[in-house]
Amino acid sequence: MNIKGLIFDLDGVIVHTDQYHYQAWKKLADRLEIYFDEDINNRLRGISRMESLDILLENYHGNTFSLQDKEKLADEKNTYYRSLLENMMPDHVSDEVRSTLAELRNRGLKLAIGSSSKNAKLILNKVELLSYFDAISDGTNITYSKPNPEVFIKAAQYLSLSTEECAVIEDANAGIDAAK
């Protein structure tokens, strides 16, 4: 293998925002009087906000939501989530992550983010990691979320590399399937 680039998932690999996602989904679920727990939250890892909302709504027993209503609910969750992200600071990233990224760059590897999150740049700015990455492919520039490989294919393209020249570092099943 001639690996020239590494594409990292963001949530769960570079930073840990699971608790913020959980709190935001829980707040929305509580408002809608929907049962929501950690097990349900774990099903949301690595998939889009709209797909996550559909899973959350599996436990909803009221009137059916229109697509427009669902988009408003997803935006509401994201508003909660973004307010929680304001608490993120550089020390929310481990020294090991920072030193690993620095060493990989020193070895001449190109680094990218491949995340379904539409908040990737905000998070990277808050933790002061944006400068470590040569490219970012995220929820703002993809049509299909993981397990579709689009986010990783675009990351490789942004690095000006073929997918065969890249390796993916991922923690969620949907992302691992997309990487394969």
Side-chain angles (χ1 to χ4, degrees):
M1 292 177 129
N2 189 16
I3 301 299
K4 296 179 181 176
L6 295 173
I7 304 169
F8 293 86
D9 177 44
L10 181 62
D11 294 331
V13 174
I14 300 295
V15 296
H16 296 282
T17 60
D18 287 353
Q19 74 276 14
Y20 299 135
H21 281 293
Y22 175 76
Q23 291 171 25
W25 282 120
K26 179 76 171 135
K27 186 171 182 174
L28 179 64
D30 289 350
R31 187 181 73 70
L32 296 172
E33 299 179 354
I34 298 172
Y35 177 77
F36 185 76
D37 63 15
E38 294 281 348
D39 289 333
I40 297 167
N41 188 64
N42 288 338
R43 293 177 55 204
L44 312 183
R45 292 177 49 114
I47 62 173
S48 75
R49 193 177 307 142
M50 292 303 287
E51 291 168 307
S52 295
L53 179 62
D54 286 338
I55 290 171
L56 177 89
L57 293 176
E58 290 173 356
N59 292 317
Y60 183 69
H61 302 293
N63 294 331
T64 305
F65 290 105
S66 69
L67 178 58
Q68 184 178 12
D69 292 336
K70 286 182 177 183
E71 288 170 349
K72 287 180 183 176
L73 291 172
D75 287 343
E76 180 181 341
K77 181 271 178 183
N78 194 51
T79 299
Y80 297 150
Y81 177 65
R82 287 177 68 91
S83 70
L84 293 166
L85 290 178
E86 290 302 318
N87 298 318
M88 292 197 79
M89 298 180 293
D91 66 355
H92 285 121
V93 175
S94 71
D95 292 338
E96 292 83 4
V97 167
R98 286 187 194 281
S99 63
T100 298
L101 293 173
E103 178 61 25
L104 293 169
R105 288 189 66 85
N106 285 341
R107 292 183 183 197
L109 290 164
K110 292 182 176 183
L111 306 180
I113 291 291
S115 172
S116 296
S117 174
K118 292 183 178 182
N119 297 300
K121 291 180 184 106
L122 170 67
I123 293 167
L124 290 170
N125 273 322
K126 293 295 288 179
V127 298
E128 298 179 1
L129 280 182
L130 193 58
S131 64
Y132 284 82
F133 296 96
D134 301 296
I136 297 173
S137 178
D138 62 16
T140 65
N141 67 305
I142 59 172
T143 304
Y144 306 103
S145 58
K146 301 168 189 174
N148 185 292
E150 178 186 22
V151 71
F152 297 135
I153 293 168
K154 284 191 174 189
Q157 290 170 347
Y158 296 159
L159 292 173
S160 299
L161 297 172
S162 70
T163 55
E164 292 79 16
E165 294 174 303
C166 297
V168 173
I169 294 82
E170 175 64 68
D171 67 325
N173 289 334
I176 292 167
D177 290 343
K180 289 179 183 177

